[in-house]
Amino acid sequence: MDRANMMRIFPLLVSCLLAVAVNADSVVDLVDDDFDSKLNSFDTALVMFYAPWCGHCKRLKPEFEKAASLLKSNDPPVTLAKVDCTEGGKSTCNRFSVQGYPTLKIFKNGEVSSEYNGPRESAGIAKFMRAQVGPSAKELLNVKTAEEFIAKEDVSVVGFFSDDNSELKNVFVKLADKLRETVRFGVSTNKDVLAKYGYSNNVVLFRPKHLNNKFEPDFIVYDGSASKEAMNSFVEKNYHGLVGHRNVDNSAQFKQPLVIAYYGVDYVKNPKGTNYWRNRILKVAQSFHNDFTFAVSNKDDFQQELNEYGLEYINDDKPRVTARDANGRKFVMKDAFSIESFEKFLKDVKDEKLEPYMKSEPIPDNTTPLKTAVAKNFDEVVTNNGKDTLIEFYAPWCGHCKKLGPVFEEVANALKDEDVAIVKMDATANDVPSKFEVRGFPTLYWLAKDDKGNHVRYEGGREKDDFIKYIAKHATKELKGWDRSGSPKDLKEL
């Protein structure tokens, strides 16, 4: 390359390197020793808990750094920080129950405010976090504003206060800060608004008009103590009503035991047809509201979820009903929907009269050292095998899993005479027991022989020697072929 071209390219390279440096410097690195002290100095912070080897983390990191540079001059400021859970931040990650990577949490004045469930690209992250530092409850300054706010097609939680310094208002504002991502909050001290609605020191949850029904009230007045926890419970319990409208964005808010009716739910194009079926579900649900959480979902939006219950494309109007009990076991209503069949299904699930549905591959012969678990043999191969166990949950299409496959097989062959089981399971073709959190692939867990209930996520290296050393150290009984450090024993001693 000639000198002239070098001179033209050099400034560009310098500017690129400077841009990378600026982005990287915008994210604050936190470790166990300074996590609390540094975080307490930030009004609002988004913290990414990560592992360097995690593919999702590697993809998010540059976007996170760009977002940090965009937010650096924001007024009020928003700080983006990261914690390496495999090195200096191990204790911090354990303290905040980080089990998958990346995990993102929003902190306010050093305390967890909420989980981050927003976008994963720089502009979206910046926009989302800018909204975190605005007012968490909309000021309803007059009757018209209040009426328009409550008339929106979403749940509204409104605080009516004649006393600006009431204890209830202070709690309300704190809760609004905590739940601002998922709940619309409004607040008013205007005397005309208070007179219009007849409240002076109250918090009221208003349900949207399209979800109004004769089986439950259209609004509920909070009558609990001036406690953030109690008010939070009130909002969570009543937010979705007796039968909530569950969609892709809010699906995580519906907790087990959960009953879902899937059909053509569409409050824009077909509100009448949507409520025709919902009202029938409501009629039955009122007798079981202490036993289950109820929801309706659009069948097309959740086809993949329906497949998990063995339900293919639905080509008629009637709801298909599924349930999960408190332990995550799955049940499918096989009879055509009617008020009578729905009621019987709920009674049978409640009384444990039904066989749970299980998605599983056929049981393999398992004659090789590397064992294969499927849903139908999981207890036999993993839980009740009487051995320390290392299990890999994988996906056939996952590149990292394909690379790990032969290594895992080598480990199994090396340990075939030890009191240790090396197991793999296709998590896309089998139901994974609910106690195992599998967010990405591969996910590995270690289960001690005498303590299978307290499984530990394996976060070590992915080479044969890494696995051998880990197993040698953590095995319930010292291995025959390796000492506790993972060094091979003298064969003469065997």
Side-chain angles (χ1 to χ4, degrees):
M1 184 180 292
D2 60 35
R3 182 178 177 83
N5 284 332
M6 281 291 293
M7 293 302 292
R8 283 195 295 271
I9 292 172
F10 184 72
L12 180 60
L13 289 172
V14 171
S15 64
C16 290
L17 290 170
L18 286 173
V20 170
V22 168
N23 285 339
D25 289 346
S26 299
V27 177
V28 177
D29 281 295
L30 301 175
V31 294
D32 294 335
D33 292 341
D34 65 11
F35 184 88
D36 291 325
S37 59
K38 281 189 177 180
L39 210 59
N40 284 331
S41 66
F42 306 137
D43 291 337
T44 303
L46 175 62
V47 179
M48 175 173 71
F49 299 92
Y50 74 99
W53 48 259
C54 160
H56 294 296
C57 304
K58 290 176 182 177
R59 286 190 289 275
L60 177 60
K61 201 172 181 182
E63 297 296 328
F64 200 71
E65 289 167 350
K66 290 176 191 174
S69 64
L70 292 172
L71 290 166
K72 204 168 186 179
S73 58
N74 193 71
D75 185 22
V78 178
T79 302
L80 267 59
K82 65 182 190 291
V83 179
D84 184 345
C85 294
T86 67
E87 293 294 339
K90 286 183 179 179
S91 296
T92 301
C93 295
N94 288 333
R95 174 155 55 112
F96 291 102
S97 303
V98 176
Q99 295 184 327
Y101 305 116
T103 291
L104 292 95
K105 296 178 184 285
I106 298 171
F107 287 76
K108 302 266 188 174
N109 299 310
E111 293 186 6
V112 175
S113 171
S114 63
E115 300 292 323
Y116 175 85
N117 296 308
R120 296 296 175 103
E121 45 80 28
S122 58
I125 295 170
K127 181 179 178 181
F128 188 95
M129 290 308 298
R130 286 189 186 107
Q132 297 299 310
V133 294
S136 54
K138 180 178 174 62
E139 288 278 353
L140 308 179
L141 301 175
N142 53 55
V143 171
K144 182 182 178 184
T145 305
E147 288 178 336
E148 290 175 348
F149 182 82
I150 294 170
K152 296 286 186 183
E153 292 186 354
D154 204 350
V155 175
S156 307
V157 179
V158 181
F160 301 92
F161 303 105
S162 56
D163 180 1
D164 220 10
N165 298 311
S166 77
E167 186 180 0
L168 190 67
K169 184 185 179 186
N170 291 334
V171 169
F172 175 82
V173 170
K174 289 179 181 178
L175 182 64
D177 283 337
K178 179 184 177 184
L179 300 181
R180 64 190 301 157
E181 290 179 39
T182 54
V183 181
R184 293 172 64 249
F185 287 90
V187 62
S188 185
T189 55
N190 179 275
K191 62 181 181 179
D192 294 333
V193 173
L194 271 58
K196 159 75 177 175
Y197 289 94
Y199 302 113
S200 60
N201 191 43
N202 300 96
V203 174
V204 185
L205 183 147
F206 294 90
R207 297 197 172 100
K209 188 175 180 180
H210 70 279
L211 294 182
N212 291 170
N213 62 83
K214 65 181 181 180
F215 301 102
E216 60 186 342
D218 300 340
F219 62 90
I220 303 178
V221 182
Y222 176 65
D223 61 359
S225 64
S227 154
K228 188 173 79 170
E229 291 73 22
M231 194 181 294
N232 191 118
S233 296
F234 163 79
V235 172
E236 286 187 355
K237 179 181 178 182
N238 295 288
Y239 186 83
H240 292 292
L242 187 55
V243 177
H245 177 197
R246 177 176 173 271
N247 55 42
V248 174
D249 293 331
N250 69 14
S251 60
Q253 297 171 18
F254 291 81
K255 307 301 182 184
Q256 298 172 182
L258 174 62
V259 175
I260 305 171
Y262 300 88
Y263 60 100
V265 175
D266 192 334
Y267 277 106
V268 176
K269 296 179 180 178
N270 188 21
K272 186 176 180 179
T274 298
N275 278 333
Y276 172 85
W277 290 114
R278 182 170 178 264
N279 285 334
R280 279 150 182 76
I281 295 159
L282 278 158
K283 185 174 182 178
V284 179
Q286 62 184 337
S287 301
F288 293 88
H289 70 277
N290 291 324
D291 305 303
F292 304 100
T293 301
F294 290 88
V296 296
S297 286
N298 183 282
K299 61 181 181 178
D300 296 330
D301 291 342
F302 288 93
Q303 184 57 57
Q304 185 175 353
E305 193 169 273
L306 284 164
N307 292 343
E308 293 296 310
Y309 290 85
L311 296 171
E312 301 302 326
Y313 180 74
I314 300 171
N315 56 8
D316 58 52
D317 295 332
K318 284 197 172 185
R320 300 298 191 274
V321 178
T322 69
R324 277 188 184 266
D325 65 14
N327 296 317
R329 295 183 302 171
K330 301 189 291 187
F331 301 88
V332 180
M333 191 174 97
K334 296 179 180 178
D335 296 330
F337 183 89
S338 68
I339 288 177
E340 293 75 22
S341 64
F342 184 40
E343 187 172 28
K344 182 180 185 304
F345 173 71
L346 295 177
K347 285 180 179 178
D348 287 346
V349 174
K350 179 182 175 182
D351 296 338
E352 298 188 355
K353 291 182 178 179
L354 296 181
E355 186 75 21
Y357 172 81
M358 187 177 290
K359 177 184 176 184
S360 179
E361 293 178 294
I363 296 176
D365 59 15
N366 272 333
T367 55
T368 59
L370 178 58
K371 305 303 179 186
T372 299
V374 298
K376 290 179 180 178
N377 74 352
F378 192 88
D379 286 344
E380 175 191 345
V381 174
V382 178
T383 309
N384 302 321
N385 63 5
K387 296 182 176 183
D388 294 326
T389 303
L390 181 66
I391 182 169
E392 174 206 3
F393 296 101
Y394 73 94
W397 44 258
C398 161
H400 292 294
C401 304
K402 291 176 182 177
K403 183 178 179 182
L404 180 60
V407 176
F408 224 53
E409 198 162 345
E410 284 183 44
V411 175
N413 287 327
L415 299 177
K416 64 183 179 181
D417 296 323
E418 302 285 354
D419 196 27
V420 176
I422 308 300
V423 184
K424 64 177 182 176
M425 182 177 187
D426 182 349
T428 67
N430 298 277
D431 282 336
V432 176
S434 57
K435 66 180 181 179
F436 295 95
E437 187 170 0
V438 179
R439 290 186 180 179
F441 300 112
T443 294
L444 296 97
Y445 281 99
W446 171 256
L447 297 88
K449 176 171 67 172
D450 300 324
D451 195 17
K452 290 291 176 77
N454 293 317
H455 51 282
V456 177
R457 187 184 288 269
Y458 175 83
E459 305 287 9
R462 304 296 177 89
E463 299 300 327
K464 177 184 172 183
D465 287 346
D466 297 321
F467 287 116
I468 296 291
K469 286 181 179 180
Y470 179 92
I471 293 169
K473 179 180 178 181
H474 293 91
T476 302
K477 184 180 179 181
E478 185 171 301
L479 299 180
K480 291 180 283 185
W482 292 264
D483 63 23
R484 286 296 185 183
S485 71
S487 298
K489 295 179 180 178
D490 187 339
L491 292 178
K492 294 180 181 178
E493 297 177 4
L494 296 179

